[in-house]
Amino acid sequence: MSATARTAAPAAAEPGVAHKGLRAGVIGVLGSTILGIVQTAPAYSVAVTLGFLAATVGVHGPALLILGFVPILCMTVVEQEFVARDPDCGTVFVWVGRALGPRAGWIASWALLGATLISLANLANITGTYFFLVIGADAASTHEAATIAVGCAWLAVATWLGMRGVQISSRVQAVLLSLGMAVLAVFVVVALVKVAAGSAGAQAVDPSPSWLSPFHVGGGGALSAGILLAIFFFWGWDAPAAVAEEADGGTRTPRRALMLSALALLGFYVVVTVAMQAFAGIGAKGIGLANPDNSGDVLAVIGGAAVGSGFETLMELAVMTSAAACLVAAMLPTARTLLSMGAYRAIPSAFAGVDARRHSPVVATAAVGVGVAAVLIVLSIVSNNVLGDSISALVLLIAFYYVLLGLAALVEFRREMFASAGALLRKGVAPLVGTLILGWALYRNGRDTFQSDYGLTSLLGIGGVFVIGAATLLVGVLLMIVWNARSRAFFRGETFTEGYIESHRPDLLEELRG
């Protein structure tokens, strides 16, 4: 990082973007791209999701990943356009709020925050579990109190790094990502070489072009579930948008990073999936991907079989570093969402507090850390089955707020989309296609999860996954109603107007500017 970046002044806000005290020029294209990749927890996503994907769509897992990438590509283009117009660290909150109204922005942001808190709580637990597996303390890995304690300890480290700012956090992310990717690269090479040489075993399957065809997937339910599972793989890729105000090079940097992180993840997931599927097959016995006994961590099982028993520990290390890196990375965009909401008075202005020396949202970052720890402890106390169903409910929340984002784009760019063929593709076709695919998948999966036999829990004859997703949104609505009574200015749209903070809260502005 150059000396110029280290000593850069607080960001000068774009027109209509509230001054928040963040420092400009501290993260470039590479750092932003790494942030987007790391926040998906790629090794962890493969370890715990690929087995379910294979059980759902058979050998067409790679095809579903490509198909699931279509709405991701569409939303990448949408976010590029929003960043160019409104590079606010509040992202979905601001974009949906300005296009569809403050209440829509608030509930979209709540869905994003709710999904993030649940996801990070699970990742903290995973970090604790895999820490004990890596050091050989397998008995401790099944002891809930021990895994929660280690997970919360790493969560505290991630929170501290987030408070230190983007620069140091991004360096730690890069190191952890490199460790995990190196392990997975070794596995991919060894697995594919053994399959090609015919020494992988009787369960191995030669890769086929049909693996990339979604047209052989049977049933709309399997297709929608597969798409949402694929979306879970990519979720978090758009983190570069949340650090747009701190980017070196202006809005061009996060716009490039958004596409680079999405494409890098697509390549990674397809290659790893093909390698694992070719080596292990999709059988329900042995090391097969569809074996339910392996679904908790297909990487360790298949990696050990492919490279050797000692490599199983390295695969577990890859999962642990993936989860740990995601905790570090996710602190940045999540805290900046709260910062933006505080600055625009959508939540108490205390969340808009920024450290005068590091120009980091310390209050919001601390709130994220405490919130994740609370969710982890509560869900673990209630039931591990509830924690498991809460992870499945993530895809419903994710699809919900991305549908709102797509609709917001159609409304926001409606007067511009017919200006040229390029504008029509980026501002009309991309949001429309993305919204339709995600909306259909959300409806189909919502209908399936409503059934009492879906997932690990149920309530009043309704599947626990659906209940958790719907309850999360309902809590958000109730909180919004409460805050509406205290801060009517935001819900009237007044705080989104250019210069509102400068005119109405000069004391807060001075505090933010440090």
Side-chain angles (χ1 to χ4, degrees), residues 225-243:
I227 291 175
L228 286 177
L229 280 173
I231 291 169
F232 179 78
F233 274 87
F234 291 101
W235 181 52
W237 98 98
D238 54 353
V243 293

Side-chain angles (χ1 to χ4, degrees), residues 142-226:
T142 61
H143 197 284
E144 194 169 90
T147 59
I148 291 176
V150 173
C152 286
W154 181 254
L155 182 59
V157 172
T159 303
W160 176 75
L161 289 171
M163 289 180 174
R164 292 292 302 274
V166 169
Q167 289 172 297
I168 186 171
S169 176
S170 62
R171 294 188 189 112
V172 173
Q173 294 166 37
V175 171
L176 293 174
L177 177 66
S178 298
L179 288 173
M181 291 298 103
V183 173
L184 288 171
V186 171
F187 162 75
V188 167
V189 171
V190 171
L192 290 179
V193 167
K194 285 190 173 182
V195 170
S199 59
Q203 82 289 335
V205 183
D206 289 331
S208 167
S210 66
W211 291 4
L212 304 177
S213 174
F215 300 106
H216 295 89
V217 179
L223 187 61
S224 64

